[in-house]
Amino acid sequence: RGIIDRLDYIRLKDGQTALRIADYKTAKSPNFKYSKAMNEKIAEQNFWQLKVYALLLQQMMLSEGKTTTISNNTNGVRVLRLMYLTSDSGKAQYIDMDLGKTQEQRDSVLQNVHLDLSNIW
């Protein structure tokens, strides 16, 4: 069972708005002190849960007859945020992931999550 902690409309740098899924974490933020490949693996593992939430939200919107674009100026889920309540510095820290500038890029990311889930079940 999963619960989305927070869902926000945010304004992007290009003036459009999008949905951001945020998840609060009580664990310390990851310390990206390893090789680039290992740091990317750590980030991917940490964002996997939010990608599943994004996929489920996308599927829910489609099943209700809505497109993944909410209006001409509003994208569907585009940004994922992990909000760590503590870090090595003792301060809260967040990490964002942009699922892609275009709907095709976002759909591709979420299709890969769908394939991962299909392989697990």
Side-chain angles (χ1 to χ4, degrees):
R1 175 180 104 134
I3 296 172
I4 295 175
D5 289 336
R6 187 171 169 164
L7 190 59
D8 298 316
Y9 280 107
I10 59 169
R11 183 158 311 278
L12 303 171
K13 291 179 182 180
D14 63 6
Q16 291 191 345
T17 56
L19 289 173
R20 175 177 60 204
I21 297 175
D23 191 46
Y24 292 97
K25 300 291 186 188
T26 57
K28 280 186 180 179
S29 65
N31 189 347
F32 295 111
K33 61 183 178 182
Y34 305 103
S35 69
K36 181 179 180 188
M38 180 56 76
N39 288 341
E40 288 174 359
K41 182 178 178 181
I42 291 168
E44 281 296 316
Q45 289 173 342
N46 287 329
F47 276 106
W48 199 80
Q49 174 187 0
L50 291 181
K51 288 180 184 180
V52 171
Y53 290 164
L55 174 65
L56 293 172
L57 187 56
Q58 178 193 56
Q59 293 301 309
M60 184 184 76
M61 290 168 66
L62 290 171
S63 72
E64 293 178 358
K66 298 176 181 159
T67 63
T68 53
T69 302
I70 297 166
S71 72
N72 289 340
N73 274 346
T74 303
N75 297 294
V77 176
R78 177 165 168 186
V79 179
L80 308 177
R81 174 170 281 184
L82 290 168
M83 185 65 171
Y84 291 92
L85 301 180
T86 187
S87 65
D88 287 338
S89 69
K91 296 180 179 181
Q93 202 172 36
Y94 66 87
I95 305 169
D96 284 343
M97 174 183 275
D98 189 334
L99 293 175
K101 289 184 179 183
T102 67
Q103 189 62 51
E104 291 79 22
Q105 290 171 327
R106 294 187 293 273
D107 289 344
S108 176
V109 170
L110 298 181
Q111 179 62 31
N112 289 335
V113 173
H114 188 270
L115 291 172
D116 288 345
L117 287 171
S118 296
N119 290 331
I120 292 170
W121 299 107

